[in-house]
Amino acid sequence: ELPHNLIFPFIQANIAFFLMGLQMEVAKWIAFCVTFVVLNNLGNSLGISLSCIFETLEVALQGAPLIILPLLLFSGFFINSNGIPVFLDWIKYISPMKYSYEAFMNIEYEGLVLTCLDSELVSRPNCPAMPGNSNTTKPCYCPTEKGEQVLESMGMKTSGLSIWENILILLLLWVGLIFVAYFLLERRSSRRERQRSKLLTT
């Protein structure tokens, strides 16, 4: 399955990268594709691990969301990383969504120069005065001019992880979940073998 799980996600990554009009740099394209492919395979290994935990399909369909939703909720995608309560903060460190989200955000926003619309400009003392009112300055300052400011506002600069460090953690989670799935499957199969041998001996 590995060629299938590498080739097709790579094709999907290229389609997404160029359709979204991301920064056209070779290094960013490589990092985006690697993150996309690793995340795709990590999702597969997470699904296999969850299917090995539960006994039946019905239980798996009900139990899997109880595991996946907290990982998604506290990944930083829905809630700013700085706004997560302290007693729930540990969840994000075991969430694959956190590391993939941070990797994608850093890939796009690092080195990105932003421009503001006229409605987004704010006033500063050094801005020119409004016509006909010398006491009021005209909005002339763009509060967000660099992509790094966006990352900092979302709490992604406090973690201190680079793009490739996030990708490395995703790789470790991928491999770890494969071993977890193997261990759970081996345990279940050995249990069934013991039950079968008991039935044959009785």
Side-chain angles (χ1 to χ4, degrees):
E1 293 183 0
L2 191 58
H4 175 274
N5 290 340
L6 294 178
I7 295 172
F8 287 99
F10 177 73
I11 295 173
Q12 292 173 341
N14 279 277
I15 294 172
F17 184 86
F18 292 105
L19 279 180
M20 289 189 292
L22 303 180
Q23 294 190 67
M24 296 297 176
E25 297 180 14
V26 175
K28 291 184 177 293
W29 169 73
I30 293 173
F32 182 88
C33 290
V34 171
T35 306
F36 196 98
V37 171
V38 172
L39 180 61
N40 184 278
N41 286 276
L42 176 55
N44 289 339
S45 62
L46 178 60
I48 294 171
S49 299
L50 291 175
S51 66
C52 293
I53 293 174
F54 303 104
E55 293 291 337
T56 63
L57 177 61
E58 292 75 14
V59 177
L61 292 175
Q62 296 176 13
L66 298 177
I67 298 174
I68 295 176
L69 285 178
L71 297 178
L72 182 61
L73 184 62
F74 297 107
S75 64
F77 188 77
F78 294 106
I79 302 175
N80 192 306
S81 297
N82 296 329
I84 298 176
V86 177
F87 61 93
L88 295 174
D89 194 53
W90 61 272
I91 298 177
K92 68 182 182 183
Y93 294 108
I94 60 172
S95 172
M97 296 80 164
K98 163 189 159 51
Y99 301 106
S100 58
Y101 182 51
E102 284 194 10
F104 284 130
M105 289 292 290
N106 279 280
I107 289 168
E108 177 57 18
Y109 280 99
E110 280 187 358
L112 183 65
V113 178
L114 303 171
T115 56
C116 290
L117 300 173
D118 291 339
S119 59
E120 297 172 326
L121 297 174
V122 297
S123 298
R124 281 279 180 98
N126 57 350
C127 289
M130 292 285 288
N133 188 353
S134 59
N135 296 325
T136 306
T137 58
K138 183 179 179 181
C140 70
Y141 175 73
C142 181
T144 308
E145 297 178 328
K146 297 180 179 180
E148 285 79 2
Q149 292 174 272
V150 177
L151 297 174
E152 187 173 353
S153 68
M154 300 186 73
M156 293 187 178
K157 283 297 182 181
T158 56
S159 65
L161 294 176
S162 66
I163 295 171
W164 291 103
E165 286 172 340
N166 281 301
I167 293 174
L168 177 60
I169 294 174
L170 290 173
L171 280 169
L172 294 175
L173 288 172
W174 175 18
V175 175
L177 284 171
I178 290 174
F179 279 105
V180 169
Y182 174 80
F183 172 76
L184 293 172
L185 191 60
E186 177 67 22
R187 185 180 178 184
R188 177 174 295 183
S189 61
S190 61
R191 187 196 311 163
R192 288 183 177 177
E193 285 297 326
R194 287 195 299 268
Q195 291 175 351
R196 184 181 301 175
S197 62
K198 286 181 181 180
L199 291 174
L200 291 175
T201 54
T202 55

